[in-house]
Amino acid sequence: MGNNGPVVAIVGATGAVGTTMIDIIDARESVPWSEIRLIASPRSAGKVLRVRGQDITVQALAPEVFDGVDVALFDVPDEVSAQWAPIAAERGAVAVDNSGAFRMDPDVPLVVPEVNAANASERPKGIIANPNCTTLSMMAVMGALHREYTLEALVVASYQAASGAGQPGIDRLQAEIAAVAGKDVGVRSGDVAAALAEAGLPAESPFPAPLALNVVPWAGSVKDDGWSSEELKVRNESRKILGIPDLKVSATCVRVPVVTTHSLVVHATFASEVSVDAARKVLAEQPSVVLRDDAAAGEFPTPADVVGGDPTYVGRIRQALDFPNTLELFVCGDNLRKGAALNTYEIAETVAAGL
Amino acid sequence: MGNNGPVVAIVGATGAVGTTMIDIIDARESVPWSEIRLIASPRSAGKVLRVRGQDITVQALAPEVFDGVDVALFDVPDEVSAQWAPIAAERGAVAVDNSGAFRMDPDVPLVVPEVNAANASERPKGIIANPNCTTLSMMAVMGALHREYTLEALVVASYQAASGAGQPGIDRLQAEIAAVAGKDVGVRSGDVAAALAEAGLPAESPFPAPLALNVVPWAGSVKDDGWSSEELKVRNESRKILGIPDLKVSATCVRVPVVTTHSLVVHATFASEVSVDAARKVLAEQPSVVLRDDAAAGEFPTPADVVGGDPTYVGRIRQALDFPNTLELFVCGDNLRKGAALNTYEIAETVAAGL
Ligand SMILES: NC(=O)c1ccc[n+]([C@@H]2O[C@H](COP(=O)([O-])OP(=O)(O)OC[C@H]3O[C@@H](n4cnc5c(N)ncnc54)[C@H](OP(=O)(O)O)[C@@H]3O)[C@@H](O)[C@H]2O)c1
Ligand SMILES: NC(=O)c1ccc[n+]([C@@H]2O[C@H](COP(=O)([O-])OP(=O)(O)OC[C@H]3O[C@@H](n4cnc5c(N)ncnc54)[C@H](OP(=O)(O)O)[C@@H]3O)[C@@H](O)[C@H]2O)c1
């Protein structure tokens, strides 16, 4: 780390996203930072974490920790970001926020570098927002296709991983899998729930129903007319990132028993005709997209292959038989990497380059 | 069982669907049959199964087993049905077939009793087909809404259970869950596959990728232009059952680590306007549909609740915000019951009543 480079702070360094952020920084060939500060709650203060060969002591979040900081990455719950990102900005840092606190604020750009990097420099509040992981999982793919064919409508069904609910989500799924293993459950109503209770798992869970051997059609909080916050985020954030205010979007968000990596089935309608071959060619050219699409050879992306990697994977590309100008796609992205820490870090690199 | 009633044969009585068929017959208050014959491959011949308190010896499939049979239920692979259902019909039985062998034959009705029961009596070949389980999981719901609002288009994403691949699918998922339990896998590319190999699971599997802690965007065989057979069945069978030859359908079929019960996210467009409240009212009135739809109270269907039951469950009903006359729904149905054995048995009861 150079001595003259900017100073970066990772707020929420001990969480699921923060830990992945550290992995990403560790794996970078070089980083622009002269100093890396790790911040979390008082619960974690004093913990020592190793980053690029250096032991760094986690500090409790406080206004002073931002003194001298150029870029502050926020990987903490919404309410913590809402309170503290403005404080970091006030103290002179550019805050890059992974929470939902600022994404739809008209004075805060919502950035996916391969789609709208230029927006990162218009930040009147000193805050840049990172999209929700579900939206982000398809943005590199949809952004590339939109540039060529002009996107008009998206119908999306998600297959969201447990780690979308942070480290508690991962822990819960792993405990549930252990509780049902070797038992003949999932064959009678309620037998999965009974197996979890029998194994001593608390009724309190990050998920509103058992997740092992199940799928749960709910993620986020309750919004008007039966929509979940997660579903409305896919609509609102896709519109803002792609710069299509009237993009038609309908999403249904479903949690699945996968540890990490969100998948999406996308039915995408464009203004102009698009063939499968042309779409494949466009996607194969994107540096951050991997095309895995040969059904006859058994090639398609799955979370178990994609997890731990940076790119967005896409496959199962088909021309809809009964809907004009429409493609069906299956997209997978690691929700902790491109879906959160990686995209945030890429924004931070963009900001650092412009400092 | 009365002495004068018709004779029924269950072909494939030892499989996932056949076993469920026996459960259903056991649970019926009364049955019209004077005799129940159980048929399977020579591998199972001689096995004794208990049905409604009687021990019945499984017979190997042969032309003679159909002598005197009035209704023959086929719960066997496609090629076995293709060969043997006509033989049963020739010997005077009405064959009700659960396989894919005859579903799109114009001389074979494709029946879901609550949607098109009358079609069961027009059977020039003596064969009636039972729909594919994925299609069937949404037919009671879509049939009811179609009667009121005239269905025009369906965009479907499936969350299909392992038992859709029969008993070998169930066994494989359970073995995979045991192999990953207690291990920190699903966090790096390929670590789930490595855990399965380490546990000694054969590379050969009913699924083209690991299913534990994963989702697999493939079910069925390879068809033209990247489509899977399962996805085209949803299109073709929905059209035939609902009697809408030009229904627009796009489906993406994805396998999930659930033992039994298929779920579907459905984006359904109608000819006329439909409110959520009106749709709920229509669905609540269907005897074979259970409405579980109160997001604020955490009420929605999940496979773990629905499994083992007869009805189709529906919830998460929302009016699409940007698509006119369109509802979003989440539907769950036990693929071995309504999706297979139950619907077949209901057809058999309809046939028996008309004999
Ligand atoms: N998981 C995903 O896929 C994903 C994707 C995109 C965006 N996000 C967003 O990223 C943020 C972090 O999510 P996560 O999944 O990493 O959550 P997590 O695993 O629960 O981690 C939360 C982090 O925030 C810290 N924290 C909590 N309360 C704090 C407080 N009052 N003051 C200071 N630090 C506090 C925690 O520190 P302690 O360890 O000291 O408690 C921990 O480091 C959330 O806003 C989430 O919505 C998550
Ligand atoms: N699983 C579902 O969700 C589902 C839903 C709808 C429709 N279906 C269809 O229902 C059929 C049965 O599926 P499944 O899931 O029950 O399969 P399964 O568990 O593999 O059972 C297959 C059954 O067929 C018998 N069989 C196989 N080859 C035979 C032969 N040559 N002669 C006589 N019997 C033979 C087997 O007898 P042995 O035990 O003696 O081998 C067994 O009873 C398939 O066509 C399937 O596509 C399945």
Side-chain angles (χ1 to χ4, degrees):
Chain A
M1 286 181 264
N3 277 332
N4 309 319
V7 175
V8 70
I10 303 173
V11 188
T14 52
V17 176
T19 304
T20 304
M21 183 74 79
I22 292 174
D23 288 348
I24 287 167
I25 292 177
D26 272 336
R28 279 294 198 253
E29 238 174 60
S30 70
V31 297
W33 323 110
S34 62
E35 184 191 340
I36 296 175
R37 291 190 197 162
L38 305 182
I39 320 292
S41 82
R43 290 181 291 277
S44 306
K47 242 191 195 171
V48 176
L49 298 177
R50 218 173 163 76
V51 188
R52 293 184 79 82
Q54 285 198 327
D55 285 333
I56 305 182
T57 303
V58 176
Q59 304 177 57
L61 183 56
E64 304 77 51
V65 302
F66 297 108
D67 288 341
V69 168
D70 298 281
V71 182
L73 307 177
F74 280 82
D75 303 321
V76 290
D78 289 2
E79 63 284 5
V80 182
S81 284
Q83 184 185 347
W84 289 90
I87 295 173
E90 213 172 83
R91 301 218 161 202
V94 175
V96 185
D97 181 33
N98 222 320
S99 86
F102 298 98
R103 290 181 191 138
M104 295 313 297
D105 185 325
D107 291 330
V108 173
L110 184 64
V111 176
V112 180
E114 54 271 71
V115 180
N116 64 347
N119 295 13
S121 55
E122 302 148 31
R123 45 178 193 250
K125 293 195 167 165
I127 301 173
I128 300 170
N130 189 69
N132 156 276
C133 46
T134 311
T135 311
L136 204 35
S137 301
M138 65 173 168
M139 276 302 111
V141 166
M142 296 323 302
L145 294 175
H146 172 54
R147 280 193 295 276
E148 297 292 326
Y149 307 106
T150 308
L151 191 62
E152 293 192 335
L154 289 173
V155 180
V156 175
S158 76
Y159 300 69
Q160 298 185 218
S163 67
Q167 192 59 48
I170 300 178
D171 296 343
R172 177 73 189 198
L173 175 59
Q174 289 179 336
E176 289 192 4
I177 292 287
V180 300
K183 293 190 186 140
D184 191 27
V185 293
V187 297
R188 256 179 303 278
S189 179
D191 61 7
V192 171
L196 303 186
E198 200 183 297
L201 266 71
E204 182 88 5
S205 158
F207 309 112
L211 189 57
L213 300 177
N214 204 18
V215 302
V216 181
W218 188 264
S221 57
V222 180
K223 296 288 171 185
D224 285 350
D225 301 320
W227 292 92
S228 72
S229 56
E230 193 84 357
E231 289 158 352
L232 296 182
K233 283 176 188 175
V234 172
R235 179 172 181 249
N236 296 332
E237 297 184 18
S238 294
R239 290 173 161 196
K240 183 168 176 176
I241 297 160
L242 295 168
I244 318 173
D246 59 351
L247 182 66
K248 294 176 190 163
V249 184
S250 252
T252 300
C253 291
V254 179
R255 191 81 67 181
V256 296
V258 163
V259 178
T260 293
T261 293
H262 289 354
S263 305
L264 302 175
V265 164
V266 184
H267 171 92
T269 303
F270 300 88
S272 53
E273 213 188 306
V274 42
S275 73
V276 170
D277 285 344
R280 282 200 188 122
K281 197 156 165 277
V282 167
L283 292 172
E285 280 165 4
Q286 305 307 311
S288 70
V289 172
V290 173
L291 181 69
R292 192 158 284 175
D293 193 19
D294 185 348
E299 266 202 19
F300 40 74
T302 82
D305 289 325
V306 164
V307 63
D310 289 345
T312 302
Y313 286 67
V314 61
R316 300 297 331 278
I317 307 177
R318 289 146 294 152
Q319 203 147 21
L321 296 169
D322 305 316
F323 301 83
N325 305 346
T326 301
L327 294 178
E328 307 291 333
L329 311 102
F330 186 79
V331 180
C332 293
D334 184 321
N335 53 299
L336 296 178
R337 296 181 73 92
K338 186 61 188 176
L342 176 66
N343 196 71
T344 309
Y345 191 71
E346 289 169 344
I347 296 172
E349 288 179 323
T350 308
V351 171
L355 285 177
Chain B
M1 285 182 265
N3 278 333
N4 309 318
V7 175
V8 70
I10 302 172
V11 188
T14 52
V17 176
T19 303
T20 305
M21 183 75 78
I22 292 174
D23 288 347
I24 288 168
I25 292 177
D26 272 336
R28 278 295 196 253
E29 237 173 62
S30 71
V31 297
W33 323 111
S34 62
E35 185 192 340
I36 296 174
R37 291 190 196 160
L38 305 181
I39 321 291
S41 82
R43 289 181 291 279
S44 305
K47 243 191 194 174
V48 177
L49 298 177
R50 216 170 165 77
V51 188
R52 293 183 80 81
Q54 284 200 328
D55 285 333
I56 305 182
T57 303
V58 175
Q59 305 177 55
L61 184 55
E64 304 77 52
V65 303
F66 298 107
D67 289 341
V69 168
D70 298 283
V71 182
L73 306 177
F74 280 81
D75 302 321
V76 290
D78 290 3
E79 63 283 7
V80 181
S81 284
Q83 184 186 344
W84 288 90
I87 295 173
E90 214 172 83
R91 301 220 160 202
V94 175
V96 184
D97 182 34
N98 222 321
S99 86
F102 298 99
R103 291 182 190 138
M104 295 313 296
D105 185 326
D107 291 330
V108 173
L110 185 64
V111 175
V112 180
E114 54 271 73
V115 181
N116 64 348
N119 295 12
S121 55
E122 303 148 31
R123 43 177 195 251
K125 293 195 169 167
I127 301 174
I128 301 171
N130 189 68
N132 155 278
C133 47
T134 312
T135 311
L136 203 34
S137 301
M138 64 173 168
M139 275 303 110
V141 167
M142 296 324 302
L145 294 174
H146 172 54
R147 279 194 295 276
E148 297 290 328
Y149 307 106
T150 308
L151 190 62
E152 293 192 333
L154 289 173
V155 180
V156 176
S158 76
Y159 301 69
Q160 297 184 218
S163 66
Q167 192 59 47
I170 300 178
D171 297 343
R172 177 72 188 199
L173 176 59
Q174 289 180 336
E176 289 193 5
I177 292 286
V180 300
K183 293 193 185 137
D184 191 27
V185 293
V187 297
R188 256 178 301 279
S189 178
D191 62 7
V192 171
L196 303 186
E198 201 183 297
L201 266 72
E204 183 87 6
S205 159
F207 310 112
L211 189 58
L213 299 177
N214 205 16
V215 302
V216 180
W218 189 264
S221 59
V222 180
K223 297 288 170 184
D224 285 349
D225 300 321
W227 292 93
S228 71
S229 55
E230 193 83 358
E231 289 158 353
L232 297 182
K233 283 176 188 175
V234 172
R235 179 171 180 251
N236 297 332
E237 298 183 18
S238 295
R239 289 173 162 195
K240 183 167 176 176
I241 297 160
L242 295 168
I244 318 173
D246 60 351
L247 182 67
K248 294 176 190 163
V249 185
S250 250
T252 299
C253 290
V254 179
R255 190 80 67 182
V256 295
V258 163
V259 178
T260 293
T261 293
H262 289 352
S263 305
L264 301 175
V265 164
V266 184
H267 171 94
T269 302
F270 299 89
S272 54
E273 214 188 304
V274 42
S275 74
V276 170
D277 284 345
R280 282 199 189 122
K281 197 157 164 279
V282 167
L283 293 170
E285 281 165 5
Q286 306 308 311
S288 70
V289 172
V290 174
L291 181 70
R292 193 159 282 176
D293 193 21
D294 184 347
E299 266 201 19
F300 39 73
T302 82
D305 290 325
V306 164
V307 63
D310 288 345
T312 302
Y313 286 67
V314 61
R316 300 297 331 279
I317 308 177
R318 289 146 294 152
Q319 202 148 22
L321 296 170
D322 305 316
F323 301 82
N325 306 346
T326 300
L327 294 178
E328 307 291 332
L329 312 102
F330 185 78
V331 180
C332 292
D334 184 321
N335 53 299
L336 296 178
R337 296 180 74 93
K338 186 61 188 175
L342 175 66
N343 197 70
T344 308
Y345 190 71
E346 288 170 345
I347 296 172
E349 286 179 323
T350 308
V351 170
L355 284 178

